[in-house]
Amino acid sequence: MTITKNIKTITLTIGAAAAALSMAAAPQANAGVVGCKASGSKQEVGAVLGGLLGGLAGNKIAGKGDRGTGTAIGAVIGAGAGSAVGCGMQKTEAAKEVGGIYKSGGYRYAQTVRAAPLVETKGKYVTRSTVNLRADASTYGQRLGSVQSGTTFQALGRTGDGKWILVGQDGVGVGYVSSAYVYRA
């Protein structure tokens, strides 16, 4: 009887960890516990570790009661918590890469980029030629670098007149490019 219960508990723990891993490894379409807007693998690792530790904790908390249920519930809660912590770590790394970030008008910007009123634009764009990456949505804006011809990038927003597109990197606006030199991917 004890061997059957232990096998059941181990099976549920492995199943819950596998479910947590599959949720974390799913395409990152939404922000939150199962989708992180910053790239990296810390979210997935956090979900797996959290699932395993949560499963063990749930098993111990359940005591002599229904350990299988305790294990499964603990694994799900642990996976969610681990995933959220991992995503937070990924976002912190992304902010460090661009020299810090700030929020304005619902968008996240690198410290070197000036916020502008934007219309939300989602999707990927491709540059027709090498274009300047600007700190402001203007040809007078400081040149932060360039985006090479044929490069696909994430667009976060577009100015109201449609002339400038905010280039995103891990959900952070890193500069503007002229819309005259890009097209939708």
Side-chain angles (χ1 to χ4, degrees):
M1 193 78 153
T2 305
I3 294 173
T4 306
K5 270 189 167 181
N6 287 341
I7 291 172
K8 218 179 186 184
T9 301
I10 291 168
T11 303
L12 282 171
T13 303
I14 292 170
L21 178 59
S22 67
M23 285 190 319
Q28 305 295 317
N30 299 319
V33 176
V34 295
C36 190
K37 288 187 177 184
S39 63
S41 61
K42 288 182 175 21
Q43 180 186 25
E44 291 87 354
V45 171
V48 171
L49 291 175
L52 291 172
L53 293 174
L56 290 172
N59 183 292
K60 293 294 181 192
I61 291 171
K64 292 185 178 184
D66 189 359
R67 287 184 175 219
T69 303
T71 301
I73 290 171
V76 170
I77 292 171
S83 178
V85 169
C87 182
M89 292 171 71
Q90 285 173 208
K91 286 180 179 180
T92 299
E93 279 185 9
K96 285 180 185 175
E97 285 180 21
V98 296
I101 60 170
Y102 69 97
K103 292 182 181 181
S104 177
Y107 294 90
R108 294 172 39 206
Y109 293 89
Q111 291 292 331
T112 56
V113 178
R114 183 171 296 170
L118 299 174
V119 175
E120 186 175 357
T121 300
K122 290 187 179 180
K124 304 243 181 218
Y125 281 75
V126 180
T127 55
R128 295 181 199 280
S129 60
T130 299
V131 295
N132 289 323
L133 186 66
R134 303 271 183 186
D136 292 296
S138 163
T139 54
Y140 299 110
Q142 178 186 356
R143 184 178 176 277
L144 300 174
S146 62
V147 182
Q148 298 302 309
S149 179
T151 301
T152 302
F153 65 91
Q154 169 193 17
L156 298 180
R158 171 182 281 245
T159 57
D161 61 9
K163 292 183 179 180
W164 294 90
I165 294 179
L166 179 63
V167 176
Q169 178 181 326
D170 292 330
V172 177
V174 294
Y176 298 93
V177 294
S178 171
S179 63
Y181 302 102
V182 300
Y183 62 91
R184 278 197 181 271

